[in-house]
């Protein structure tokens, strides 16, 4: 099967951005966090740093060490507010298992640039990370300053 020109160009852009991306993966569930890290690493992501709590992300010594924040939670109502939503320039992706409408509301309310329903295929997460990075870089300003529409926010599986 031949890949369309637009899809091929998008893949080429992602392949340039993601090998150098520094991802912080926040998830209290250690097994899920490790599985996601290994899957993203296998796809060629630059580096994935695992953290179990939001305090590890907002620690001043961690500032400037990430390009993207990925937050995985069981219940999106327990998702922390994106600590980078106002001006830090780090896009954030929320991953949770809930109906799409609920995920859209929570992601928008808590300041995430994108959201994915679970179970999520590693390649889809990889592509969504690339998309939020591309959007942030293309606009030349913090991704959290972008006004996202509900269609931009969520992909439910």
């Amino acid at each position: 099967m031949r890949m369309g020109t637009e899809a091929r160009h998008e893949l080429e852009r992602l392949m340039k951005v993601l090998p150098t991306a520094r991802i912080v993966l926040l998830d209290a569930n250690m097994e899920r966090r490790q599985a996601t890290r290994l899957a993203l690493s296998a796809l060629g992501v630059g580096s994935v740093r695992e953290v179990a709590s939001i305090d590890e992300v907002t620690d001043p010594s961690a500032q400037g060490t990430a390009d993207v924040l990925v937050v995985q939670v069981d219940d999106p109502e327990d998702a922390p507010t994106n600590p980078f939503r106002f001006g830090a320039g780090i896009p954030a992706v929320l991953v949770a298992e809930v109906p799409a409408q609920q995920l859209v509301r929570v992601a928008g309310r808590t300041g995430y640039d994108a959201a994915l329903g679970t179970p999520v295929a590693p390649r889809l997460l990889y592509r969504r990370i690339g998309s939020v990075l591309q959007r942030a870089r293309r606009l030349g300003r913090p991704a959290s300053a972008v006004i996202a529409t509900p269609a931009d926010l969520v992909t439910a599986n």
Side-chain angles (χ1 to χ4, degrees):
M1 178 180 223
R2 299 184 80 187
M3 185 183 295
T5 303
E6 187 175 314
R8 187 173 52 248
H9 289 303
E10 179 185 352
L11 185 58
E12 289 170 0
R13 283 191 303 272
L14 291 177
M15 291 175 69
K16 291 176 184 174
V17 172
L18 289 174
T20 61
R22 299 168 301 165
I23 297 169
V24 172
L25 177 60
L26 168 62
D27 190 342
N29 181 315
M30 183 180 68
E31 290 176 10
R32 183 175 57 203
R33 189 175 66 231
Q34 289 175 342
T36 302
R37 177 185 50 81
L38 290 172
L40 288 172
S41 295
L43 289 169
V45 169
S47 71
V48 181
R49 181 170 60 99
E50 296 179 44
V51 296
S53 77
I54 194 69
D55 294 335
E56 295 176 71
V57 175
T58 57
D59 183 333
S61 67
Q63 298 299 316
T65 63
D67 298 311
V68 177
L69 172 65
V70 175
V71 177
Q72 294 185 126
V73 292
D74 293 320
D75 181 354
E77 296 300 329
D78 295 334
T81 298
N82 174 6
F84 307 113
R85 72 189 298 181
F86 298 113
I90 300 173
V93 178
L94 178 63
V95 180
E97 185 174 349
V98 294
Q101 291 290 41
Q102 183 182 0
L103 192 53
V104 167
R105 283 193 303 272
V106 171
R109 182 178 67 235
T110 54
Y112 289 86
D113 301 286
L116 295 167
T118 59
V120 62
R123 186 159 299 282
L124 179 58
L125 178 57
Y126 176 89
R127 292 180 68 123
R128 187 53 51 101
I129 290 168
S131 294
V132 296
L133 274 172
Q134 284 288 344
R135 188 174 16 184
R137 290 178 180 173
R138 184 174 50 246
L139 294 173
R141 62 180 190 240
S144 55
V146 176
I147 304 300
T149 66
D152 291 334
L153 281 175
V154 69
T155 301
N157 293 333

